[in-house]
């Protein structure tokens, strides 16, 4: 057989394809002209159907090459369509001549016994059509701009879908009187948030008086409702004396009452500007603006609750005791779990169809997603709205969740609160007040509705049955896409392989999240010291996750395309979300909206692939695929963002997985990233991930904008002669600055101590000896002491002489001393308790407790006072901090804890010191139940020295009823809405409180 060299494939120029030709192909939706197998063999000098080369027909090939060139005149390119057609016809004629020449050469070789061997015979099975071979090259000419344009378009669509764009712009103070003005509201907020004001503090009483005055200035007649609420569970209990501020605007023809509420108490050292001073001032400004319009048809009730941060106590008191509660038909609650971002409507009651549609129609800035309803009702978190909801009230609950590092921190001040967020709160308050103040409230329940806010469309609401239909449509559309994609060679088995590839990519993205959470604590001293988030600036880490997920998905897709069609990869990636959307549509229907539309969009794009082929011809198909990707992004991008803001970067694994799934649902349009070449986009994404990570890791350095948490507290037990300074133990390098500061203040910490008996976290804290503070013991007055059978019954009145915000009662061995009642409220199952605390100040200033114990033994009871104004006893110096440090609420910083044995200092039978005499008239008052004064203005508000309220110390109870359960998981859960009564505790130890569970 004769050896010869294969000729090189002809270039576009050699084939006569000019720039004008390429442009014409694009305009006409045509690809580059393809050659048949025979034509390709002719150009290569092969015998058609043969696997081995035959003798070349150089002359014919040259003629074909020559004939394939476009005719030129004077060196100029052809420019008319007729000339291009003539050139094509010439090339076809040349190929036909080449084919005929090769056939003749083959026949001549066969006749002479020389030349190329005859093609082997084939069986019928060999003649059957084969599946198209997967091409690793991009079909058609490369379009350099399409890849970057796709990336830019996707980034812009994702950015426009984020929650932040829904918060309205602030309105200045000179706006018309009928409008809500964030500037006017902010002026009021500055007065509220001048200093920390936890329940029971003198500042708390000042804020209450200020708000009563402001309501009076608005022409209302406010009253202060005083009562006692109680929750208990898992061996712990809490009671609080609450003072709610309530006012009522009478309607002209009421069909019921509309209630709007927020709480005015703050947490520990927090100034409470966002949480929830923002809601309070939003209500006040909304009332002012609403009064410029027509009178309300329905009654409007303003409820500013007390003690929300310690267990929804004020809301409990109002729901259980206030005469107006039975009139309430619809309620709106304004909460905050951050300091920035839109005010999201995240909770309604069951049977929400009517209220959701009213909200969508009446509020110009409505922002909500029914997924939040499904998620929140399955969580243990609570707000004041929880109490109203349990009472059967329909309504809406709003909260901002961005800017979460400020949550419960000292820097929850007006300067850190976004005025856009305040404006959004106010728009909700004013719109709801005007709307529900006028509509018929006779029937406010209707079957649950599905709802979601979409850019440009606003809030979309539809019935659950529509969701069921969408589940069926997803199933049909996916089946059609699978069937039609067979035209491009897609096979069901290979679609399953595509699913495996998609799951592998998602797992890899989750692995990146796991790796991030392994290294983040080493970069950030604030890790573990914040309650609303893990870090001050988490956004860069989220971008790192998204970029890494993009790099993983596209890199794997490029490699997988060597064996799989694009349609097989895209269908495989959509399979799990599609199946999930079908299942969720029937089991958790209000959440399915976030799966239905992405699944429909992704399968529609794959269906287009099957119709036009694997090559996405022309700009129209690209634009359609981009539109489908846009639907995916406008639904799922906000979900990724909201989950991050609600749960913090601690959810990094889940965020990585969800990011990968979102990107994979955009695979049809992402195929455009192969322009101008395959690898530019994954390398760019990888580079971006590295840059984002570098910026994120540098943001861990403490500064005035990102203060690190620091801890210093003082503990002393009366009669022991020993006092201690304590600070958080050093767990990682980021604690070094806080430790150095504490040692500069009080000296080196040379030992450890467990102060769980003081109500401090049940861990070994770093400690050093301290001088004993000159502080008076609490006043303990015996009102009754008698033996009934084998048990001794004792009534005591207890008052803090140092003005402590919290009185905590701790018992000894179970079965000895037991608490029977607190502040006139009976304790459920007293034998199960080991700790009970009281917040707030009864009108008479004393907390009345009833005890039982062995007839012949001292009372086994300790009273621990927590004073959250430690500078009043210890001076300013120990707690002065640089700007880059702030008190750590998770470690109960900046407080004095004073422990007293009732048996030693208050038991009339066994005390070793003289017992305080009973003040005149006190015994009779307390024996009558200590009934509070008539509800009215803050007359009789306790003096500073009389207050004994608790600042959510270590044991917040997570409860939705008067027998709530304390969270014993000892983990931080920063999910939207978890309120104050959820500081998780294990035994005596306290973890972090969850967001919204009665405390936020």
């Amino acid at each position: 057989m004769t050896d010869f060299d294969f000729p090189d494939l002809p270039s576009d120029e050699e084939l006569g394809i000019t720039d004008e030709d390429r442009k014409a192909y694009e305009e006409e939706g045509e690809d580059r002209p393809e050659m048949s197998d025979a034509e390709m063999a002719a150009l290569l000098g092969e015998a058609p159907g043969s696997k081995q080369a035959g003798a070349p027909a150089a002359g014919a090939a040259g003629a074909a090459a020559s004939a394939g060139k476009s005719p030129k005149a004077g060196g100029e390119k052809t420019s008319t369509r007729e000339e291009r057609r003539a050139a094509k016809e010439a090339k076809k004629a040349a190929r036909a001549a080449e084919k005929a020449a090769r056939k003749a050469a083959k026949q001549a070789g066969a006749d002479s016994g020389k030349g190329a061997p005859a093609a082997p015979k084939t069986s019928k099975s060999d003649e059957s059509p084969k599946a198209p071979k997967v091409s690793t090259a991009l079909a058609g000419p490369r379009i350099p701009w399409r890849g970057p344009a796709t990336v830019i378009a996707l980034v812009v669509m994702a950015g426009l879908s984020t929650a932040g764009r829904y918060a309205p712009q602030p309105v200045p103070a000179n706006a018309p009187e009928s409008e809500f003005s964030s500037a006017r509201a902010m002026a009021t907020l500055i007065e509220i948030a001048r200093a920390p004001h936890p329940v029971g503090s003198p500042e708390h009483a000042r804020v209450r008086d200020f708000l009563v005055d402001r309501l009076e200035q608005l022409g209302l007649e406010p009253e202060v409702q005083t009562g006692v609420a109680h929750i208990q569970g898992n061996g712990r209990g809490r009671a609080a004396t609450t003072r709610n501020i309530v006012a009522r605007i009478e309607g002209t023809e009421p069909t019921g009452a509309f209630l709007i509420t927020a709480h005015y108490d703050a947490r520990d050292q927090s100034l409470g500007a966002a949480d929830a001073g923002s809601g309070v001032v939003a209500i006040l400004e909304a009332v002012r603006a609403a009064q410029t319009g027509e009178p309300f048809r329905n009654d409007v009730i303003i409820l500013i609750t007390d003690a929300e941060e310690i267990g929804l106590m004020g809301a409990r008191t109002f729901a259980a005791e206030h005469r107006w509660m039975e009139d309430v038909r619809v309620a709106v609650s304004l909460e905050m779990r951050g300091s920035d971002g839109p005010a999201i409507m995240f909770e309604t009651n069951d049977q929400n169809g009517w209220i959701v549609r009213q909200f969508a129609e009446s509020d110009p800035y409505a922002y909500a997603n029914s997924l939040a309803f499904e998620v929140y009702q399955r969580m243990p978190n609570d707000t004041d709205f929880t109490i109203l909801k349990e009472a059967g009230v329909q309504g809406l609950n709003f909260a901002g969740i961005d800017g979460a590092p400020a949550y419960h921190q000292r820097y929850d001040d007006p300067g850190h609160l976004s005025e856009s967020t305040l404006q959004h709160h106010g728009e909700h308050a004013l719109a709801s007040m005007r709307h529900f103040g006028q509509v018929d409230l006779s029937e406010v329940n209707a079957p649950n509705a599905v709802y979601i806010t979409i850019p440009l469309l606003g809030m979309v609401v539809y019935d659950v049955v529509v969701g069921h239909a969408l589940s069926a449509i997803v199933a049909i559309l996916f089946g059609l896409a699978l069937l039609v994609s067979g035209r491009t060679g897609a096979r069901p088995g290979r679609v399953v392989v595509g699913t495996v590839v998609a799951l592998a990519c998602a797992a890899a993205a989750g692995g990146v999240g796991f790796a991030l959470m392994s290294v983040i604590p080493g970069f950030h001293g604030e890790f573990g010291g914040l309650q609303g988030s893990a870090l001050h600036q988490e956004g860069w880490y989220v971008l790192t996750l998204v970029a890494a997920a993009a790099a993983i998905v596209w890199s794997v897709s490029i490699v997988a395309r060597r064996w799989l069609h694009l349609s097989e990869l895209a269908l495989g990636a959509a399979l799990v979300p599609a199946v999930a959307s079908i299942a969720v549509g029937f089991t958790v229907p209000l959440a399915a909206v976030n799966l239905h539309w992405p699944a429909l969009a992704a399968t529609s794009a794959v269906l287009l692939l099957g119709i036009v082929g694997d090559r996405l011809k022309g700009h129209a198909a690209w634009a359609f695929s981009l539109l489908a990707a846009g639907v995916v992004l406008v639904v799922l991008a906000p979900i990724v963002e909201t989950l991050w803001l609600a749960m913090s970067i601690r959810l990094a694994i889940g965020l990585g997985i969800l990011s990968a799934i979102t990107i994979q649902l955009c695979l049809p349009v992402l195929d455009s990233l192969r322009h101008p070449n395959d690898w530019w986009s994954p390398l760019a994404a990888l580079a971006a991930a590295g840059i984002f990570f570098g910026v994120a890791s540098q943001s861990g350095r403490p500064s005035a904008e990102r203060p690190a948490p620091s801890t210093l507290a003082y503990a002393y037990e009366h009669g022991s002669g020993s006092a201690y300074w304590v600070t958080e133990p050093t767990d990682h390098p980021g604690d070094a600055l806080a430790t150095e500061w504490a040692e500069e203040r009080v000296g080196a910490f040379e030992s450890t101590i467990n102060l769980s008996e003081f109500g401090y976290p049940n861990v070994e804290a770093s400690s050093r000896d301290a001088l004993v503070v000159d502080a008076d013991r609490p006043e303990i007055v015996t009102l009754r002491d008698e033996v009934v059978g084998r048990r001794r019954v004792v009534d005591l009145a207890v008052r803090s002489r140092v003005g402590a915000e919290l009185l905590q009662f701790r018992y000894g061995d179970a079965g000895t001393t037991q608490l029977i009642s607190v502040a006139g409220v009976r304790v459920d199952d007293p034998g199960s308790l080991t700790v009970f605390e009281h917040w707030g100040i009864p009108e008479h200033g004393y907390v009345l407790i009833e005890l039982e114990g062995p007839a012949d033994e001292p009372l086994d009871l300790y009273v621990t006072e927590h004073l959250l104004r430690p500078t009043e006893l210890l001076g300013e110096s120990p707690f002065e901090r640089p700007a880059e440090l702030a008190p750590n609420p998770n470690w109960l910083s900046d407080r004095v804890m004073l422990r007293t044995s009732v048996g030693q200092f208050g038991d009339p039978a066994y005390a070793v010191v003289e017992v305080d005499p009973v003040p005149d008239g006190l015994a009779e008052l307390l024996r009558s139940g200590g009934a509070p004064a008539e509800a009215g203005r803050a007359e009789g508000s306790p003096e500073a020295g009389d207050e004994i309220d608790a600042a959510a110390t270590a044991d917040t109870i997570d409860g939705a009823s008067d027998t709530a359960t304390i969270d014993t998981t000892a983990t931080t859960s920063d999910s939207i809405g978890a309120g104050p009564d959820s500081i998780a505790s294990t035994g005596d130890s306290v973890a972090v409180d969850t967001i919204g569970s009665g405390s936020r």
Side-chain angles (χ1 to χ4, degrees):
M1 183 168 63
T2 304
D3 294 333
F4 64 93
D5 295 327
F6 288 94
D8 293 332
L9 292 175
S11 66
D12 286 355
E13 288 73 16
E14 292 172 333
L15 291 175
I17 299 176
T18 66
D19 291 339
E20 286 77 7
D21 293 331
R22 297 188 188 97
K23 184 176 181 181
Y25 298 152
E26 291 181 21
E27 291 174 351
E28 297 170 7
E30 298 177 1
D31 288 329
R32 180 183 301 178
E34 296 185 0
M35 292 179 285
S36 66
D37 291 343
E39 292 169 338
M40 179 63 75
L43 287 173
L44 293 176
E46 297 177 345
S50 171
K51 293 187 177 180
Q52 297 188 19
S66 176
K69 294 182 181 179
S70 299
K72 296 181 171 60
E76 295 180 359
K77 300 178 181 179
T78 40
S79 58
T80 66
R81 181 168 303 220
E82 291 75 16
E83 290 173 331
R84 288 196 295 271
R85 284 178 180 169
K88 292 180 185 177
E89 293 298 328
K91 285 184 283 186
K92 289 182 179 179
R95 288 181 184 134
E98 179 75 7
K99 182 176 181 182
R102 292 191 179 279
K103 184 176 181 181
K106 177 181 177 183
Q107 184 62 38
D111 294 341
S112 62
K114 298 179 181 180
K121 294 182 179 180
T122 58
S123 64
K124 289 184 179 180
S125 59
D126 292 333
E127 294 173 354
S128 61
K130 297 181 180 179
K133 184 178 179 181
V134 178
S135 173
T136 60
L138 184 69
R142 302 269 183 176
I143 306 175
W145 58 264
R146 183 170 287 180
T150 300
V151 172
I152 293 171
L154 294 177
V155 170
V156 169
M157 286 189 292
L160 292 177
S161 303
T162 57
R165 66 178 300 275
Y166 290 97
Q169 291 299 310
V171 173
N174 61 355
E177 293 296 308
S178 60
E179 294 183 20
F180 182 95
S181 165
S182 57
R184 290 189 286 251
M186 186 66 78
T188 304
L189 183 62
I190 291 172
E191 290 299 315
I192 292 177
R194 293 193 322 201
H197 48 280
V199 176
S201 66
E203 189 66 13
H204 180 247
R206 183 198 69 81
V207 171
R208 180 170 61 250
D209 289 345
F210 172 81
L211 294 175
V212 170
D213 284 337
R214 186 54 58 95
L215 287 169
E216 289 176 343
Q217 292 173 19
L218 292 172
L220 306 184
E221 298 179 358
E223 64 180 54
V224 176
Q225 178 204 12
T226 303
V228 179
H230 157 232
I231 53 179
Q232 70 179 70
N234 289 353
R236 312 175 74 84
R238 172 175 296 161
T241 299
T242 63
R243 291 178 173 82
N244 296 324
I245 304 169
V246 292
R248 185 164 184 155
I249 303 174
E250 299 290 340
T252 57
E253 297 180 60
T255 59
F258 164 71
L259 180 145
I260 187 165
T261 183
H263 68 89
Y264 73 96
D265 59 304
R267 186 66 171 272
D268 292 7
Q269 300 299 320
S270 172
L271 300 185
D275 181 26
S278 61
V280 172
V281 299
I283 292 173
L284 295 177
E285 171 66 5
V287 169
R288 184 208 58 75
Q291 289 181 321
T292 64
E294 60 179 310
F296 295 124
R297 173 190 179 185
N298 299 314
D299 292 350
V300 174
I301 298 173
I302 293 93
L303 169 63
I304 304 177
T305 61
D306 189 12
E308 191 269 356
E309 295 289 358
I310 56 173
L312 321 177
M313 298 299 195
R316 296 178 194 277
T317 302
F318 179 84
E321 301 176 9
H322 204 283
R323 63 189 183 280
W324 293 346
M325 180 63 195
E326 64 183 14
D327 300 330
V328 178
R329 301 286 294 158
V330 171
V332 163
S333 174
L334 302 180
E335 263 292 352
M336 189 67 72
R337 210 226 60 177
S339 61
D340 204 344
I344 304 170
M345 196 286 286
F346 68 94
E347 183 183 18
T348 71
N349 208 337
D350 195 19
Q351 297 296 298
N352 61 33
W354 182 86
I355 191 77
V356 165
R357 286 184 170 85
Q358 297 294 315
F359 170 53
E361 294 170 5
S362 64
D363 195 316
Y365 298 99
Y367 184 64
N369 188 311
S370 52
L371 172 65
F373 170 84
E374 294 284 15
V375 171
Y376 200 76
Q377 69 175 343
R378 290 167 171 79
M379 297 180 68
N381 307 328
D382 303 301
T383 66
D384 279 343
F385 183 72
T386 302
I387 305 303
L388 300 172
K389 184 171 68 171
E390 291 173 350
V393 175
Q394 189 56 264
L396 307 168
N397 199 1
F398 297 89
I401 62 174
D402 203 350
Y407 182 54
H408 288 172
Q409 298 287 343
R410 182 61 180 261
Y411 41 91
D412 180 9
D413 54 36
H416 282 86
L417 174 64
S418 165
E419 199 167 322
S420 291
T421 303
L422 179 57
Q423 183 70 34
H424 205 186
H425 248 348
E427 296 288 356
H428 291 323
L430 182 57
S432 62
M433 198 176 296
R434 284 174 169 164
H435 183 74
F436 295 112
Q438 302 296 344
V439 299
D440 189 348
L441 301 180
S442 300
E443 181 52 62
V444 297
N445 292 324
N448 285 334
V450 179
Y451 50 92
I452 186 172
T453 301
I454 299 293
L456 303 180
L457 298 180
M459 189 168 165
V460 179
V461 184
Y462 53 83
D463 293 333
V464 169
V465 68
V466 176
H468 296 163
L470 288 174
S471 290
I473 293 172
V474 169
I476 295 170
L477 198 62
F478 191 90
L480 285 174
L482 185 61
L483 180 65
V484 174
S485 295
R487 293 180 53 187
T488 62
R491 300 177 181 176
R494 290 186 175 186
V495 170
V496 174
V497 174
T499 300
V500 173
V501 171
L503 294 175
C505 289
V512 173
F514 177 81
L516 276 181
M517 290 310 301
S518 300
V519 301
I520 281 175
F523 293 113
H524 297 269
E526 75 270 26
F527 189 84
L530 306 177
Q531 292 191 353
S533 62
L535 312 172
H536 281 296
Q537 293 186 345
E538 298 182 345
W540 291 111
Y541 285 117
V542 175
L543 290 176
T544 301
L545 276 173
V546 173
I552 290 169
V553 169
W554 191 235
S555 298
V556 173
S557 297
I558 290 173
V559 176
R561 285 293 303 279
R562 296 178 181 273
W563 300 277
L564 300 175
H565 283 284
L566 174 60
S567 55
E568 290 169 339
L569 275 176
L571 270 178
L575 177 60
V576 172
V579 172
S581 72
I582 296 168
V584 171
F586 291 98
T587 57
V588 193
L590 270 64
V593 62
N594 303 281
L595 291 173
H596 279 149
W597 295 107
L600 286 170
T603 51
S604 296
V606 179
L607 185 59
L608 176 70
L609 271 178
I611 294 173
V612 304
D614 195 19
R615 300 171 181 178
L616 284 183
K617 297 180 181 180
H619 300 314
W622 173 69
F624 180 85
S625 297
L626 190 60
L627 177 63
V631 174
V632 172
L633 291 177
V634 299
V635 175
L636 291 183
I639 298 300
V640 174
E641 180 191 25
T642 303
L643 286 177
W644 154 49
L645 293 174
M647 306 302 293
S648 85
I649 196 64
R650 289 184 177 91
L651 198 65
I653 296 175
L655 293 174
I657 293 172
L658 186 54
S659 297
I661 292 172
T662 302
I663 295 167
Q664 287 176 130
L665 289 176
C666 302
L667 275 178
V669 77
L670 290 180
D671 201 55
S672 298
L673 300 187
R674 305 180 81 178
H675 301 269
N677 59 64
D678 284 347
W679 289 99
W680 77 272
S681 55
L683 291 177
L686 188 61
I691 293 171
F692 295 149
F693 178 78
V695 174
S697 61
Q698 293 302 308
S699 69
R701 297 174 181 174
S703 66
E705 293 74 30
R706 303 185 301 269
S710 55
T711 304
L712 189 62
Y714 178 92
Y716 168 63
E717 182 170 348
H718 288 289
S720 68
S722 299
Y724 307 94
W725 289 107
V726 293
T727 190
E728 177 187 4
T730 300
D731 293 325
H732 52 79
D735 292 329
L737 183 63
T739 301
E740 291 173 5
W741 164 78
E743 292 184 341
E744 288 176 0
R745 297 292 89 196
V746 300
F749 290 83
E750 301 169 344
S751 59
T752 60
I753 189 172
N754 189 315
L755 294 178
S756 59
E757 292 300 319
F758 284 78
Y760 209 63
N762 186 21
V763 295
E764 296 294 319
S766 299
S767 68
R768 66 164 284 110
D769 292 341
L771 296 176
V772 174
V773 66
D774 182 16
D776 292 332
R777 295 189 307 275
E779 183 178 356
I780 303 173
V781 179
T782 302
L783 304 175
R784 178 175 63 150
D785 186 359
E786 60 187 36
V787 176
V788 180
R790 297 183 179 180
R791 301 288 288 176
R792 181 181 174 205
V793 180
V794 180
D795 289 348
L796 299 177
V798 183
R799 183 176 73 90
S800 172
R801 287 192 174 112
V802 299
E805 284 85 355
L806 165 66
L807 285 182
Q808 191 173 81
F809 306 101
R810 290 183 169 265
Y811 311 84
D813 297 333
T816 56
T817 300
Q818 295 180 5
L819 188 66
I820 305 303
S821 69
V822 176
V825 176
R826 300 290 295 182
V827 174
D828 298 320
D829 191 13
S832 66
L833 299 182
T834 58
V835 179
F836 205 100
E837 61 189 40
H838 182 273
W839 298 68
I841 310 299
E843 292 296 321
H844 42 70
Y846 290 82
V847 178
L848 174 63
I849 60 175
E850 181 182 359
L851 303 165
E852 284 188 6
D856 56 351
E857 295 180 11
L859 294 172
D860 190 7
L861 179 71
Y862 290 82
V863 177
T864 303
E865 304 165 90
H866 282 238
L867 175 66
L868 305 184
R869 309 182 311 280
T871 58
E872 295 183 5
L873 283 181
L874 304 173
E876 298 283 349
S877 177
F879 302 97
E880 291 177 344
R881 287 177 170 83
E884 61 267 24
L885 292 177
N888 186 346
N890 293 339
W891 272 82
L892 313 184
S893 186
D894 291 52
R895 68 184 58 212
V896 172
M897 298 171 289
L898 304 173
R899 190 168 188 254
T900 301
S901 168
V902 174
Q904 182 177 357
F905 294 106
D907 193 323
Y910 300 92
V912 296
V913 295
E914 183 177 353
V915 178
D916 294 315
V918 179
D920 292 341
L922 177 62
E924 182 178 353
L925 172 64
L926 298 183
R927 284 185 186 280
S928 67
E934 286 295 320
R937 193 162 181 334
E939 246 179 271
S941 293
E943 300 295 329
D946 295 333
E947 301 194 312
I948 38 180
D949 189 26
T953 55
D955 320 302
T956 311
I957 298 175
D958 200 8
S961 68
D962 288 345
T963 57
T965 302
I966 297 177
D967 186 356
T968 59
T969 57
T971 58
T972 304
S973 168
D974 294 324
S975 51
I976 178 173
D981 58 339
S982 82
I983 292 189
S985 69
T986 302
D988 293 333
S989 72
V990 178
V992 191
D993 51 339
T994 60
I995 298 121
S997 158
S999 80
R1000 306 13 175 175

